[in-house]
Amino acid sequence: QVQLQESGPGLVKSSQTLSLTCTVSGDSITANHYYWSWIRRPPAKGLEFIGYIGYSGDTYYRPSLKSRTSISRDTSKNQFTLHLSSVIPEDTALYYCALTNGKVIVAPQTLEDFISWGQGTQVIVSS
């Protein structure tokens, strides 16, 4: 079973860059047809797709966040990292990393849309 674990700062100041890392165990992040996503749940709102990095290293970002988002990976550590620049208080959310196999979900309704996900990490952006 593939397991994911998010790590990173819980508090970030506005205009700074948020970096969150997802550490994967149980399989390689380069395994065929895996897509590794970052999603978030702002307070009192539904899940929001941020972006993904695929098994071959391809990336895709939510258009409204594209200018501020990048996702990279370290295959030697079996990790992938979200970088969100110029954060604003509206970026405050519970952030998850999640896995799909053979497809990408850009409008998740629930975490169960994914085959595995981390426990989530709370990020607060202070003004």
Side-chain angles (χ1 to χ4, degrees):
Q1 182 178 357
V2 181
Q3 295 183 323
L4 298 87
Q5 177 67 58
E6 305 89 351
S7 61
L11 182 64
V12 186
K13 294 182 179 179
S14 290
S15 79
Q16 291 184 337
T17 295
L18 169 67
S19 294
L20 297 175
T21 295
C22 185
T23 301
V24 177
S25 60
D27 209 340
S28 170
I29 62 172
T30 62
N32 278 343
H33 309 303
Y34 279 171
Y35 293 89
W36 306 93
S37 295
W38 284 100
I39 55 178
R40 67 185 184 183
R41 190 192 300 276
K45 294 185 180 180
L47 288 175
E48 181 176 270
F49 170 81
I50 301 171
Y52 75 76
I53 185 164
Y55 60 98
S56 63
D58 58 310
T59 55
Y60 175 81
Y61 307 118
R62 183 184 185 92
S64 62
L65 297 174
K66 185 178 180 180
S67 64
R68 301 195 288 128
T69 306
S70 68
I71 299 175
S72 60
R73 66 181 184 176
D74 185 335
T75 56
S76 67
K77 296 181 179 179
N78 219 36
Q79 296 174 331
F80 61 104
T81 298
L82 167 70
H83 302 282
L84 183 64
S85 64
S86 303
V87 294
I88 57 178
E90 288 74 18
D91 291 316
T92 293
L94 186 57
Y95 284 74
Y96 297 92
C97 53
L99 168 66
T100 52
N101 187 353
K103 63 179 180 180
V104 177
I105 297 174
V106 297
Q109 299 301 303
T110 74
L111 289 174
E112 286 75 17
D113 289 341
F114 301 88
I115 63 174
S116 187
W117 56 91
Q119 65 182 23
T121 186
Q122 180 67 49
V123 174
I124 297 173
V125 178
S126 62
S127 57

